[in-house]
Amino acid sequence: MTTTVEALTTAPLKLGGIQVWPPVVLAPMAGITNAPFRTLCREQSGGKGLFVSEMITSRALVERDRKTMRLIGFDASETPRSIQLYGVDPVTVGRAVRMIADEDLADHIDLNFGCPVPKVTRKGGGSALPYKRNLLRDILRQAVGNAGGLPVTMKMRKGIDDDHMTYLDAGRIGAEEGVSAIALHGRTAIQHYSGVADWSAIARLRESVPDHVPVLGNGDIWSADDAVRMVRETGCDGVVVGRGCLGRPWLFKELVSVFEGQTEYARPSPATTLVRGAPRRTFRPDFSYVAGVMHRHAQLLGEWIGDEKHGVVDFRKHVAWYTKGFSVGSELRRALALASSLDELAEHLAAVDQDQRWPESADGPRGRTSGANRVVLPEGWLDDPYDCAVPSADAELDTSGG
């Protein structure tokens, strides 16, 4: 089978004084996009693109919670440093942003208005918050006003459900309050990660937001082909990649190559690929390559946490993503997911057939795919979209990272 992927002609992503090339962003994912995973993705991309931290709670940051302060640590090689903040109280968000700016904790701040999980939406946060238009405006105004020149961006969903869409109003408000870019996941909160992302909503947002405010598309980018298609179909200024890179950090090498029009890119597929009609060989990693990345991922986690065992235990959640489609066997797969040391992990990895080529079944969707029966919201939340009452103090989660 032959596929055709043509190089894109697009401009760098400009976030205030920061220029990001290519316009590819790693989406914040709780428990995933910590410093070790960002390191892996950045190494694969050659240091190109933007890699955002997992969600940081504004209250926890202001109170200097120990876990939060560790989560906002960046490797010396990370530039630009990017933090995603979650908050529901304008004053607390403003204080957190001011702290980041004054203490030089990051170079870019992204605000989370897209998280659909119940523990966030039941407090009026995440994807529930944009429904309250005036509260959203107050938070954005406080964030941009306290940023001291740092670029502030926002990431959101289409709305709560099909009857309560918010993204066009939220985009307009964001542009009016001076955000540097807007990212849209083409799903509603009730969808969580089910169904197919609605890229037409990304196109509508791009049409409705002033040209000087970049719009980034998010949702169902599983390969460089998808990134190309999203940019061409929606006119968006860049892409945000989340679940597509789970167990596959080398996806960023593929994305960089496509945006730069290189003659080869690292797509782990047996297909011959054409760029502008010229045939080329693709990178087809066998399991030995994947095993090497897995071991390094676990090692980096141990070094970051400060304890090898805890690092390997934390890595367990990644095993199924890395081994998807490979012939591993249930017992060996279970052993990999229960390893407690780097030596034990290496021993189990060595027991897998190292010559296995990348399986076609490993392409496509990965990660969470479930939806929800309803979105859990504060009582009376939908009564008035312009009510600016700030959620109660306990709505500000006291921990970060999900």
Side-chain angles (χ1 to χ4, degrees):
M1 184 179 80
T2 299
T3 60
T4 301
V5 180
E6 296 181 1
L8 282 171
T9 302
T10 188
L13 173 63
K14 294 183 178 180
L15 305 177
I18 298 173
Q19 184 166 286
V20 178
W21 178 258
V24 172
V25 180
L26 169 64
M29 290 181 281
I32 303 295
T33 57
N34 47 37
F37 189 73
R38 296 197 306 270
T39 294
L40 286 176
C41 295
R42 194 174 65 256
E43 288 175 347
Q44 292 286 339
S45 76
K48 300 175 181 180
L50 181 67
F51 302 91
V52 187
S53 76
E54 53 187 311
M55 185 183 78
I56 302 298
T57 301
S58 56
R59 171 183 160 190
L61 179 61
V62 168
E63 295 179 353
R64 298 184 185 275
D65 171 79
R66 176 186 288 184
K67 176 184 176 182
T68 297
M69 299 310 290
R70 180 169 61 83
L71 288 175
I72 65 170
F74 292 93
D75 185 84
S77 64
E78 287 195 73
T79 181
R81 300 163 299 164
S82 180
I83 286 179
Q84 187 185 66
L85 275 183
Y86 158 85
V88 297
D89 174 40
V91 174
T92 305
V93 171
R95 289 175 61 196
V97 170
R98 173 61 64 181
M99 177 179 168
I100 292 171
D102 287 349
E103 299 182 20
D104 189 28
L105 299 178
D107 306 305
H108 160 244
I109 299 165
D110 184 55
L111 298 178
N112 182 319
F113 301 116
C115 183
V117 301
K119 73 174 182 178
V120 170
T121 59
R122 70 163 44 98
K123 302 294 187 178
S127 54
L129 197 146
Y131 185 75
K132 298 294 190 181
R133 273 69 166 178
N134 292 331
L135 177 59
L136 173 68
R137 185 183 294 278
D138 285 352
I139 289 175
L140 291 173
R141 183 168 296 177
Q142 285 288 330
V144 173
N146 282 282
L150 296 181
V152 175
T153 61
M154 59 188 291
K155 186 172 186 289
M156 61 184 182
R157 285 180 172 241
K158 290 168 55 180
I160 293 173
D161 53 36
D162 288 344
D163 296 322
H164 301 90
M165 292 292 191
T166 58
Y167 71 101
L168 292 178
D169 277 353
R172 173 181 55 80
I173 292 169
E176 291 172 353
E177 295 302 324
V179 298
S180 296
I182 303 169
L184 176 64
H185 184 151
R187 286 182 171 88
T188 58
I190 200 169
Q191 285 182 275
H192 276 223
Y193 299 95
S194 65
V196 177
D198 176 15
W199 290 1
S200 67
I202 299 169
R204 286 192 292 274
L205 181 65
R206 176 60 285 173
E207 292 171 355
S208 68
V209 170
D211 291 343
H212 71 273
V213 181
V215 169
L216 307 177
N218 177 223
D220 294 354
I221 296 179
W222 311 113
S223 69
D225 307 53
D226 296 326
V228 170
R229 194 162 52 86
M230 176 182 280
V231 171
R232 289 189 172 143
E233 290 182 8
T234 70
C236 66
D237 304 283
V239 298
V240 179
V241 180
R243 293 173 298 151
C245 67
L246 295 175
R248 196 171 53 174
W250 50 86
L251 176 58
F252 287 94
K253 184 183 297 184
E254 171 187 349
L255 289 162
V256 168
S257 298
V258 164
F259 275 91
E260 294 190 341
Q262 298 174 12
T263 56
E264 293 187 9
Y265 69 92
R267 184 180 184 188
S269 166
T272 299
T273 307
L274 301 182
V275 173
R276 296 175 180 170
R280 64 183 175 184
R281 295 179 61 83
T282 61
F283 175 57
R284 298 159 59 184
D286 55 22
F287 189 79
S288 65
Y289 179 91
V290 176
V293 176
M294 292 175 69
H295 192 271
R296 174 159 170 71
H297 192 167
Q299 181 181 14
L300 288 171
L301 280 167
E303 293 171 353
W304 179 64
I305 293 172
D307 181 90
E308 177 183 312
K309 179 178 179 180
H310 284 103
V312 175
V313 169
D314 190 73
F315 175 73
R316 291 173 178 175
K317 68 170 75 83
H318 298 270
V319 169
W321 296 321
Y322 276 110
T323 59
K324 179 182 178 180
F326 284 103
S327 178
V328 177
S330 58
E331 288 300 316
L332 192 49
R333 196 179 296 272
R334 182 174 181 273
L336 285 167
L338 293 176
S340 298
S341 70
L342 288 173
D343 286 345
E344 186 180 354
L345 179 64
E347 179 183 351
H348 296 321
L349 287 171
V352 180
D353 178 5
Q354 303 294 297
D355 295 327
Q356 291 184 71
R357 303 304 294 266
W358 180 267
E360 289 189 40
S361 59
D363 290 329
R366 51 184 53 222
R368 295 167 292 185
T369 58
S370 62
N373 294 323
R374 66 188 182 95
V375 181
V376 183
L377 300 168
E379 185 176 355
W381 189 254
L382 299 178
D383 292 349
D384 183 356
Y386 295 99
D387 172 31
C388 197
V390 177
S392 61
D394 67 349
E396 285 282 350
L397 304 177
D398 57 2
T399 58
S400 300

